[in-house]
Amino acid sequence: MLRQLLFCLIILCTAHAAFAADPGECGTPEAMTAKLKAEDQHTLAFAQHLAPEKVIRGLLVTVNSDRSVGYVLQSDKRVGEKASQICIWNRLAKVRLFDARKPVPLDAYLKASDEEAARACEDLDKMGKIPRKGCIAFNKAVKQGDGWQHGVVLEALATERQADGTFRPMNSLVTLQMRIGGKVTDDPNNPAKAAGGTLYYTSFPDGATTIKAVVAEGEYTPYGLQAISGK
């Protein structure tokens, strides 16, 4: 029940461009709800985000009814604690949902080979965008997670706000892959395998991938379970 307190604070959605929230925007759960009340967003899944500064925050993903728009959100408190602030990490477009309780399906992988991804990683490193050591091949990363029973929750395109206030999909794939229902105490020797997950950002379509966030103890919301029913 405690895990549901955080997402129960939020009712978010796909507004017209003039009312849509911007990545980087933060506010109280109530303020974010008020700002986005015209949007048809529902919290799909959530997890604990193991932040680089060694604190645990909540990570949530939302989607609207027709899957055209979603958000990646972060709270200032871990899941199960009442948040005082919610921040928008990214606005998503063309969201595809998967059942993360099942093995990763073939259509979740990219057509690009690991070799193509490696070349793209080299290019991104030369351009100073992503350090080579922090860049991996998407299919290789997802396959490894699949071996740990980390399923794909969603794939979507990141977006960029335009001068006229609209959002344009970018050639950047956002993927959340995590084990559903696992606890870090399930395997003290390998908690990442037992309960971990990753939020990936990928250059599309070449597959050069960087890790945006490491998460743990992921769960679907009741809405999320309904949304993936039949998959």
Side-chain angles (χ1 to χ4, degrees), residues 77-92:
K77 300 292 185 182
R78 63 189 298 157
V79 173
E81 298 178 3
K82 185 175 180 179
S84 59
Q85 186 179 69
I86 302 291
C87 293
I88 297 174
W89 265 16
N90 212 328
R91 179 182 165 100
L92 310 175

Side-chain angles (χ1 to χ4, degrees), residues 90-108:
N90 212 328
R91 179 182 165 100
L92 310 175
K94 300 181 180 180
V95 183
R96 299 175 64 210
L97 303 183
F98 301 87
D99 188 340
R101 301 167 299 177
K102 298 179 180 180
V104 177
L106 291 177
D107 64 348

Side-chain angles (χ1 to χ4, degrees), residues 11-22:
I11 304 175
L12 301 173
C13 313
T14 307
H16 298 293
F19 300 100
D22 286 314

Side-chain angles (χ1 to χ4, degrees), residues 5 8 13 40 71 74 89 113 172 179 185 190-191 201-202 207 227:
L5 292 178
C8 285
C13 313
D40 177 35
Y71 288 98
Q74 180 180 258
W89 265 16
S113 66
S172 178
R179 186 161 188 165
T185 53
N190 196 346
Y201 280 30
T202 301

Side-chain angles (χ1 to χ4, degrees), residues 18 40 46 50 55 93 100 111 182 188 196 227:
D40 177 35
F46 56 92
L50 311 179
V55 296
K111 293 181 180 179

Side-chain angles (χ1 to χ4, degrees), residues 180-201:
I180 299 297
K183 310 291 185 186
V184 294
T185 53
D186 291 344
D187 185 351
N189 294 322
N190 196 346
K193 178 179 179 181
T198 311
L199 182 69
Y200 293 115
Y201 280 30

Side-chain angles (χ1 to χ4, degrees), residues 22 39 42 75 106 139 173 209 229:
D22 286 314
E39 301 188 30
H42 305 272
S75 70
L106 291 177
N139 288 344
L173 184 70
T209 298
S229 62

Side-chain angles (χ1 to χ4, degrees), residues 14 119 152 159 162 166 182 202 212 229:
T14 307
R119 289 194 293 270
V152 172
T159 65
Q162 305 301 293
T166 61
T202 301
K212 176 68 173 178
S229 62

